[in-house]
Amino acid sequence: MVAVFNACIKNYHFSEAWKKAVIIGVKPRDFPSSFKPISLLSGLGKLFEKVFKTRLSDHLLGNGLIVDEQFGFRPNNSYSQQALRLVDYISEDFKRKRKTVAVFFDVAKAFDKVWHAGLIYKLHQLQVPDRLVFIIHKYLMNIHFSFRHENSISAKRLIGAGVPQGSTLFPLLYSAYTNDIPRSQTGVQFALFANDTALYLPGSKLRQITPCLQKAIDKLTC
């Protein structure tokens, strides 16, 4: 198996058989919006993704290319650590009798909306080796899914953006895709965890904080 995976990387190959997802629906609550699709992916394909992810991670994380504010999908970081970092920041300003205003964003269905061509462009901007980018490009091409309900299964459909839920590789790719988050020149700070984003800014007066924070929000959402 090691020989097969090494040959795939050497020849820039990602098997078509590994790019077929069968989606089943899970409904944890009695609301239509709570319907959660779960993708059943090739076990061999997911194993290859793990091997490939190690090489991509060595470049992105090993070279410090992912912004420090992003705590998602990286070793030795967690959601609770990011939350503690934010609480400590606010507490320190509170001791100095300064207010902190924060705005929180959650990008709905973030993984489903990643533009493939934009992702490839950003990987080049991060100087990811061409051989790795080419394999990722092959990985994103012609991903298909079918929906299964009980004993029935739909016809195949092409995934035009994002990837199936359950991909081992894509969380790291999402970090690369959102790595160029716009920076504010007004001192606004960021706290990121996957698709959760917090913008926060301390100050002595709310009327001074609010306009600066609004400019950062406008820049982020434009």
Side-chain angles (χ1 to χ4, degrees):
M1 192 173 296
V2 173
V4 171
F5 289 167
N6 285 335
C8 287
I9 294 173
K10 181 180 179 180
N11 294 286
Y12 315 131
H13 181 69
F14 198 100
S15 174
E16 294 293 324
W18 299 344
K19 298 192 291 183
K20 298 175 182 177
V22 176
I23 297 177
I24 59 174
V26 177
K27 191 176 181 183
R29 297 188 299 273
D30 293 328
F31 301 102
S33 60
S34 69
F35 183 86
K36 184 176 179 62
I38 302 296
S39 297
L40 306 179
L41 301 169
S42 163
L44 192 59
K46 292 180 73 172
L47 187 57
F48 176 70
E49 285 186 40
K50 287 185 178 181
V51 173
F52 184 82
K53 178 185 174 183
T54 300
R55 303 200 180 194
L56 182 62
S57 179
D58 286 344
H59 177 78
L60 293 176
L61 301 180
N63 292 316
L65 298 177
I66 300 299
V67 294
D68 292 336
E69 294 90 344
Q70 176 60 271
F71 275 44
F73 317 127
R74 63 196 310 169
N76 305 317
N77 286 269
S78 66
Y79 193 92
S80 57
Q81 287 175 314
Q82 183 66 287
L84 182 60
R85 171 176 169 266
L86 180 56
V87 169
D88 284 345
Y89 187 95
I90 294 172
S91 298
E92 287 300 315
D93 279 303
F94 185 76
K95 292 176 184 177
R96 290 181 284 179
K97 301 187 183 302
R98 285 158 56 91
K99 303 175 178 66
T100 299
V101 178
V103 180
F104 298 87
F105 296 89
D106 179 14
V107 182
K109 299 182 179 179
F111 286 8
D112 298 335
K113 298 177 180 178
V114 171
W115 177 36
H116 291 170
L119 172 60
I120 295 300
Y121 171 79
K122 292 183 179 185
L123 291 173
H124 280 300
Q125 292 296 102
L126 290 168
Q127 299 182 336
V128 174
D130 289 344
R131 69 182 186 280
L132 300 185
V133 176
F134 194 82
I135 293 172
I136 292 167
H137 180 65
K138 293 278 289 185
Y139 166 68
L140 295 173
M141 289 175 57
N142 300 319
I143 304 177
H144 288 84
F145 74 93
S146 300
F147 187 84
R148 188 175 75 196
H149 178 66
E150 296 179 349
N151 295 323
S152 300
I153 190 165
S154 72
K156 291 193 301 183
R157 295 288 187 272
L158 182 68
I159 296 178
V163 294
Q165 293 287 338
S167 166
T168 304
L169 178 62
F170 205 69
L172 181 59
L173 292 177
Y174 183 81
S175 292
Y177 185 74
T178 57
N179 197 59
D180 58 350
I181 185 170
R183 295 286 174 171
S184 171
Q185 303 299 319
T186 57
V188 174
Q189 303 294 313
F190 288 92
L192 308 170
F193 191 90
N195 59 319
D196 294 328
T197 302
L199 277 64
Y200 55 98
L201 179 67
S204 56
K205 297 180 181 179
L206 287 176
R207 65 173 179 269
Q208 296 173 340
I209 301 173
T210 305
C212 295
L213 197 57
Q214 186 61 56
K215 287 181 181 178
I217 294 170
D218 293 342
K219 192 173 183 179
L220 179 65
T221 58
C222 68

